[in-house]
Amino acid sequence: MFSFARTKIQPPRARRGSILDRPALRARLVDALTSATLVLLRAPAGFGKTSALVQALDTLPASTAVAWVSCDEADLPIELFACLVTALDGVDLPWRVSPESLMAAAAADGAPAPQSRALQAMVTELVNALDASDVARGVIAIDDLHRIAHPAVHEFLGRLLERLPERWTVAVATRDEPPVALARVRARGELLEIRAADLRFDLDLTTALLRDAGIDAGLAAALQVRTQGWPAGLRLGMSALQDESRPRMPVPALMDREMFDFVAVEILDRLAPDLRRFAMQCSVLPELTAARCQALTGDPLAAQHLDTIERGGLFVTRLGEADAVLRFHDLFRDALLQCLHREPALDAVGLLRRAADSEPDGLRRIDFLLRAQDWSRAADEVHGQVPALVTSGRITLVEHLLDRFPEPVRQAEPRLQLARAILHWGQWRWPDMLEAGLTAAGMFELAGDSLEALRARAYARVGAQGGGLSWQAGAAGEAVSEAVGRVMTARAADIANGVRYDDNEAGITAAMLDALVRGWDAYHAGCFGKLPEIVAGQTALLAATRGPDAVFRMMPLPGFVGLPGMAPSIARFIGLAGPRVVGAGEHLTSLVRGLQGSHQIWQGDVVRGRALLREAAQEVQWHDFPLRSTLYVFVRLVAADALAGDHDALLGDARDLLAVFDRAGPRTDLAVRVASETLAIGRWLFAAGESQEALRVWARLDALDGRPERPMLAAQRLSLAGWRALAEARLTDSETAFERVLATHGPALELFGQASDLRLRLAQLRLRLGRGPQAAAEALMPLFTRHALDADIAAIWLAGATLLTELADAAWGDTLDAVEIDRLRRWATGANALAVPGTPTDDRARPSVTSASGPGQAAGGPLAPTRAASAAGPGRAALSERELEVLARIAAGDSNKIIARELDLSPHTVKRHVANILDKLDLRSRGQASAWFHQHRH
């Protein structure tokens, strides 16, 4: 999800004979790295902090786990976290929650408090994973921390140090003291500080260095005085003294940064002209490879030049062992860049542009263009990359990219205004999205780009609908739909001939967004009859595109499943979307699986649908319950638990879903948006005999009183009085309320099968209240048409096997014919057949309406806030066959990478299986899992 150059997690290779090789210092560092909480190397540039740290790490026992992260100026907090997680990948940390999801939460924009909670969650999961790792000793090394000024980085580091497990050490190399609570670590005696004084060379070391280099040792005292033991100055001075091609230079004056630049230029001037030119040109690159340097300079001797640079002892370090990747030292690179900019003939701006041309990483490509002040190309790159960045949750990064453009450019560039609109969609800032989309549309229209203008207006329309805002341009919403219709009509022949469009082509994007908003409008207005045609149109659009973005943009809402006439359209959409999202990311896969499982359940295939939802639920849980995928999976999973009579799973899944609602509560209008889901959860709890829990869930809806609601939600909530009366055994009040809402709002009640549920319960109430079979039959008659051929049968079954059995066994006389009575009996038989073996009996699942004495009592007590609070002991849940395979591999000592290769799984999937194994067996580490396997394998 969060890409970065892999060289950032490769420590420089220590070179033998380096002037920074100081045995006493190395021994001191090694001792601290195996005992201290924090090792802080703090000194100005050129003091050899990185070299000293690398040499100490190389001296550690081979069993020591080391994670290295190099910081860059453009890094944001989330990039640093991503690097750290990847650097730790080889340790096979037993993550209980997907680290990518934790990073996405930390990257999401929001108020300081939620963002702080996201950082805390990241730290907590990291600390728990480090503590549960099987390594005897581990080191997290962070180089050049001074390059990052974002306060969230220091907050993260401070919290990590507060709770770091004893077996782990953090080592930081930086020019400035990081703003973390060092006093606490220092007071505990767990801090080793290495400063400039510790890194300076004394006279004895300087003398030995000159002697080893074949330089007159008599010059050591003068060189020591002039450089004050500054390692970078010593190296430069020695280089100058070793040069035999020109008269012996006097020992340089006292070395400082300015003197370094001067002497570095002296060194450059002594290089062969072609090598000097090559080095200056390549200084624009953060890392040097032969291929990149040749593409940048056009010099066919690039590989030879790099070899000469490395062997010549210039200020360059090699990253890794296998690949020839070099990096100039910061000081030397700065000097090269200064020389480059002083020579106009070398065209520094042109070099940056060519560097962008050959840069495969999109974010680095943008950085090159911004440094070249090529605002137009940079805007084009941002325009192309922002949709995927926002989809993946990199909200803060998008803001940072937009902020790097000068304000006049941001205001005048329509592509950046459109990027703002997409950014605000990811932030749920609907008014800002509307304003930015309209601004971009106006600019595109002035430029004569009608397709981009249409795309921008489509985004603006999403902002208007998402925020419940009035469409500011009168009939502009219809105008967008009409324009989209013309665009797609012009392409109809090509599409019919098999032409496939890119998901992000302007006209296609506009058509997707138009279909999305029209679906939202019809759904929230309760005009469900329009939805089959709209989803059919989305399916046609999906078939006319190539990538997965179309699936994400047009996913039918979870509530679409089970609405009248929707089954064929949903099935066709799933059939196209399923293959499209393979390899496109777990989040999108979870959405499609959730939709597919929900569809299967609603059509009566409860066993397979529930299994699919349970698999998707494990993915959602592994990703720390993202709101969207949680809604797509867990709402229908709760329904499936109720259908199966799986009481414990029902309570656990309902608890998890409601906890996500609470966590995401600060989001704009969320309580209103999930009101129908909240009502449905209460209904299904009630059907399972959890009357008091149902009442607690429905109480959440009281907070919506007096708030503006969309028509569909308002109609749904009108039934709430009847449900509460039913839960409290006020049967007459319930009958009256159900009759009233069915008479006035029947179509809107089709959501989540409530209309069918209400009609079945109304029939039962009329029988129990002595209204007679005729009155009860009148309530049932619409169901025989609505569920002909058992369409959307789950809406019937969710009323509960007990209720359906009671209706099937009632004395109907001639009020129902034999076919209708047989239908009732088949419904009851089907509902009873769904019970999972070993689950509670009908007595436990009996709704309170059957009790004459009053409301039923919750068998399990109030819903706990988190699933972990009610976790049982070891072995509380059975492992799947795949999890048993993974466990056997763990017990054999295989790493995650080996397991992934042997079982043909992705590393991500292996991590999730490991998390499931530890969670189900209530274990902490892979070592404990291995021991459990050997103990129980027979």
Side-chain angles (χ1 to χ4, degrees), residues 79 570 608 675 749:
E79 275 64 46
I570 294 291
R608 286 196 296 179
L749 299 174

Side-chain angles (χ1 to χ4, degrees), residues 767-809:
L767 289 175
R768 287 188 167 276
L769 291 170
R771 312 299 189 210
Q774 182 64 43
E778 290 175 358
L780 292 176
M781 295 309 293
L783 297 182
F784 298 130
T785 301
R786 167 70 179 87
H787 298 285
L789 302 178
D790 289 342
D792 303 323
I793 188 61
I796 294 290
W797 290 341
L798 278 166
T802 302
L803 181 152
L804 292 172
T805 300
E806 183 177 339
L807 292 178
D809 293 343

Side-chain angles (χ1 to χ4, degrees), residues 95 163 261 325 337 525 592 604 649 783 835 855 933:
W95 293 96
R163 302 180 53 193
D261 293 342
V325 181
L337 287 171
V592 175
L783 297 182
F933 177 82

Side-chain angles (χ1 to χ4, degrees), residues 678-732:
T678 303
L679 179 59
I681 295 166
R683 285 171 40 215
W684 300 330
L685 285 166
F686 173 79
E690 293 289 347
S691 303
Q692 294 303 310
E693 291 300 346
L695 288 170
R696 292 187 184 98
V697 171
W698 290 329
R700 292 166 169 260
L701 300 175
D702 293 338
L704 305 183
D705 292 340
R707 295 179 60 181
E709 295 180 275
R710 295 176 173 87
M712 178 268 292
L713 297 180
Q716 287 274 307
R717 288 189 62 215
L718 284 176
S719 68
L720 189 56
W723 284 109
R724 281 176 166 156
L726 187 61
E728 295 167 357
R730 293 183 285 110
L731 305 189
T732 302

